[in-house]
Amino acid sequence: MKTKARSSVAPYLRELLLNRDRVPTFDEYPFSLPVVRHMKAVKLHPKVTFIIGENGSGKSTLLEALAVVCGLNAEGGSRNFNFSTRASHSVLVDYITAVREPSRPRDAYFFRAESYFNVATEIERLDEDPDGGGPPIIDSYGGVSLHEQSHGESFFSTFLHRFGGSGLYILDEPEAALSPMRQFAMLSRLHQLVKLQSQFVIATHSPILMSYPDAVILEITDKGLRKSSLEETEHFKLSQAFFADPRRMLEMLMEVS
């Protein structure tokens, strides 16, 4: 049975706080990261919040802490996933507080591109357990093994089948395996889920995803997070400059190298 869209969206998370008085030192990782060092209160959009920044700026570290604080597995998955292939999540989770709204999400999921292979493997392991009971977990992902699909197809199967609405969805670089066409499809799916009372926090490098209009873009700088428009981001400016004159851009890049 399809869920009817509701006209308004009540957020599940209002903001993310760093308990600065408990931080032992800002000279060591992860507290030395600019996104953490200058962090106080991060206000989240009731529908979609994009966290953007260069590689190594702390996007994944921040989202991982948020996901774990919300009861999700550090390597990805829903509340029911508790596997760990490597204990690598940072101690930031112990210093973060998520300020919640009275409403509670019916669904919650942490999608992490870099460890999604591990999630797919865990699904197969659980479905092979004779004492598991209930329908196969893979049925919630479209019924086809995620390992038997291309990387991009398995990603999109999760967005299309597993995400059902009324949910809190934390996504770390969901575009990593998606073609430009699939990224546009992802925009459409994102909008469908927002209309089904969902809230997203997304770390991304994709200007296509960042173009979602009913959202806030928070860009990581040397001074912490700042609100930005799509057109102000380096991601957009560089893409625009390249496609405006690709030959000139390539000539400049080849001269540098």
Side-chain angles (χ1 to χ4, degrees):
M1 183 175 68
K2 292 184 178 180
T3 306
K4 291 184 179 180
R6 284 175 272 181
S7 57
S8 62
V9 172
Y12 305 113
L13 296 180
R14 184 189 307 169
E15 60 184 350
L16 190 60
L17 305 177
L18 175 66
N19 302 311
R20 299 183 64 87
D21 59 332
R22 294 181 52 226
V23 173
T25 176
F26 284 98
D27 295 327
E28 297 178 3
Y29 175 87
F31 309 107
S32 57
L33 293 168
V35 68
V36 180
R37 176 186 287 273
H38 300 285
M39 180 180 168
K40 293 180 181 178
V42 180
K43 293 189 176 181
L44 302 174
H45 193 279
K47 297 179 181 178
V48 181
T49 300
F50 291 110
I51 308 290
I52 70 170
E54 279 300 316
N55 295 329
S57 61
K59 301 185 303 299
S60 295
T61 302
L62 183 61
L63 257 68
E64 175 190 81
L66 174 59
V68 175
V69 163
C70 292
L72 298 167
N73 191 51
E75 290 189 39
S78 66
R79 296 188 186 103
N80 297 326
F81 284 70
N82 57 13
F83 70 95
S84 176
T85 58
R86 181 171 179 262
S88 59
H89 63 276
S90 78
V91 298
L92 181 60
V93 63
D94 298 325
Y95 300 85
I96 289 290
T97 299
V99 181
R100 307 166 194 260
E101 293 288 354
S103 55
R104 290 290 182 264
R106 184 185 65 192
D107 188 23
Y109 202 97
F110 180 30
F111 182 93
R112 192 168 195 173
E114 70 175 8
S115 56
Y116 198 63
F117 179 92
N118 301 340
V119 173
T121 301
E122 177 67 3
I123 291 170
E124 290 194 346
R125 187 191 71 79
L126 292 172
D127 281 345
E128 289 171 357
D129 183 359
D131 299 322
I137 298 172
I138 196 61
D139 287 354
S140 299
Y141 292 76
V144 179
S145 169
L146 298 174
H147 283 314
E148 294 177 5
Q149 304 177 56
S150 73
H151 210 38
E153 287 173 329
S154 68
F155 276 31
F156 203 74
S157 289
T158 303
F159 308 144
L160 187 61
H161 300 292
R162 175 56 187 78
F163 294 3
S166 297
L168 171 64
Y169 301 116
I170 302 171
L171 315 182
D172 188 12
E173 299 186 8
E175 79 282 1
L178 300 182
S179 69
M181 185 64 74
R182 281 294 197 189
Q183 290 183 46
F184 285 121
M186 177 65 185
L187 268 181
S188 178
R189 181 59 179 155
L190 178 68
H191 188 54
Q192 290 173 354
L193 290 164
V194 165
K195 290 193 294 182
L196 293 174
Q197 207 82 356
S198 297
Q199 184 181 19
F200 287 83
V201 182
I202 304 174
T204 183
H205 293 292
S206 169
I208 293 175
L209 294 188
M210 288 179 222
S211 70
Y212 187 74
D214 205 352
V216 65
I217 298 174
L218 300 179
E219 186 168 12
I220 300 174
T221 72
D222 291 339
K223 297 182 179 179
L225 287 166
R226 72 175 180 195
K227 189 181 295 187
S228 181
S229 68
L230 172 66
E231 293 78 12
E232 290 172 332
T233 66
E234 285 298 311
H235 306 70
F236 180 86
K237 291 177 181 177
L238 288 172
S239 298
Q240 185 181 53
F242 179 81
F243 289 114
D245 194 347
R247 184 183 296 276
R248 181 172 178 274
M249 181 70 82
L250 287 170
E251 288 175 352
M252 290 172 59
L253 291 170
M254 299 306 111
E255 287 177 6
V256 170
S257 62

